[in-house]
Amino acid sequence: MKKVTIFLFALFLTLQISYAQNEKDPGTSIKAGLGTTFLKPANYLASNTFHLRLEQRLFRPVSLSVDGFRINGEQIKNDGNEHHSKGWQADAGLNIALFSNSSNALKIGGGAAWQTMENRFTTSIERDSNNQIINKEFDETSSENFGWTASIEYEVYVAKYIILGTRFSYKKFDNDDENYFFGLNAGFRF
C-alpha cells in the first residue's frame, strides 16, 4: 500500500507540473470533510467518518482522485448488545464533470476501493435477578478487503481557490460488505 501511495503522489506532482501552465482554472484540489457511513451487513450508522480527497484534473472534464476515509462507529441496542467498528479506507479512481463552470460543478466517479476494519461485538450478556446487566463478553474480528466504489459530488467555488461541497458514495467489497457514505467537505484549489 505504501508503494501505491508513493506512486500516486508522484503521478499527481508530475501531472500538476505538466498541466499547470495550460489551465486557467486551478487543476488540483485537496478537500477534507465529515460525514456518516451506513455499514452493511451490520446495518448501523458510523456517524463519525472523516475523509480526505486529493484530485488532479487530467483534461476537461476528467480528473484522477485519491480518497482516504477514517470510520469510527458504534451501535448499542436496547437489549445491551454492542457493536463497535473502526476502519480505514482508501479509494482511487476517475471522476467526470457532468457540468462545470467558474462557480460550481457536478461530478460522478468510480474506481477501486480498499478497507481494513476492526469489529468488536458482544457475544454474551450476563444479567442478575433484576434483569440488570452485570457482565458482557466481547469478541473481535479484523478484515482487509478490496472492492469498487461509485460516487456523486457537488461542489461550489466560493472564491477561485476555495471549495465547499457535498458527496455521496457507495462501496462494495469482496466480502460482501457495503458502505453508503454522505458528507460535507471544504478545501482548496491550486
Side-chain angles (χ1 to χ4, degrees):
M1 186 64 191
K2 187 176 179 180
K3 290 179 183 179
V4 171
T5 305
I6 292 170
F7 170 75
L8 290 174
F9 183 73
L11 179 64
F12 275 121
L13 287 178
T14 304
L15 292 171
Q16 175 62 25
I17 292 167
S18 64
Y19 288 104
Q21 294 84 17
N22 299 329
E23 298 292 333
K24 292 180 183 178
D25 290 331
T28 303
S29 65
I30 186 163
K31 295 176 267 188
L34 292 172
T36 299
T37 301
F38 182 73
L39 303 168
K40 285 185 77 178
N43 292 328
Y44 72 95
L45 294 173
S47 58
N48 186 8
T49 301
F50 174 77
H51 84 83
L52 184 65
R53 170 178 263 200
L54 178 62
E55 187 172 1
Q56 172 65 51
R57 183 172 48 231
L58 299 175
F59 52 87
R60 290 195 186 270
V62 178
S63 60
L64 179 66
S65 65
V66 176
D67 297 284
F69 289 83
R70 172 70 169 114
I71 297 172
N72 188 4
E74 69 178 13
Q75 177 187 40
I76 301 174
K77 295 183 179 178
N78 292 336
D79 63 2
N81 284 301
E82 299 179 33
H83 190 151
H84 303 273
S85 296
K86 291 183 181 180
W88 293 93
Q89 295 178 342
D91 305 341
L94 293 175
N95 296 319
I96 298 172
L98 297 178
F99 75 82
S100 176
N101 57 36
S102 62
S103 62
N104 59 22
L106 178 66
K107 302 174 183 178
I108 59 171
W114 167 85
Q115 84 168 353
T116 179
M117 290 291 273
E118 295 176 5
N119 293 293
R120 183 174 186 258
F121 50 91
T122 52
T123 56
S124 67
I125 298 174
E126 186 180 342
R127 299 178 185 270
D128 63 12
S129 60
N130 295 326
N131 204 27
Q132 299 297 315
I133 298 172
I134 58 173
N135 189 29
K136 293 182 182 182
E137 292 185 20
F138 291 88
D139 196 5
E140 296 182 8
T141 63
S142 61
S143 63
E144 183 175 332
N145 300 289
F146 292 92
W148 57 271
T149 182
S151 66
I152 186 165
E153 181 174 18
Y154 178 72
E155 54 190 29
V156 176
Y157 309 125
V158 178
K160 184 175 182 177
Y161 299 104
I162 299 173
I163 304 169
L164 296 176
T166 184
R167 178 175 184 207
F168 174 79
S169 65
Y170 170 78
K171 298 177 188 183
K172 173 83 171 178
F173 295 97
D174 55 10
N175 67 343
D176 289 331
D177 280 1
E178 296 178 63
N179 295 172
Y180 299 86
F181 170 80
F182 175 76
L184 302 173
N185 58 59
F188 300 97
R189 301 191 304 165
F190 50 95

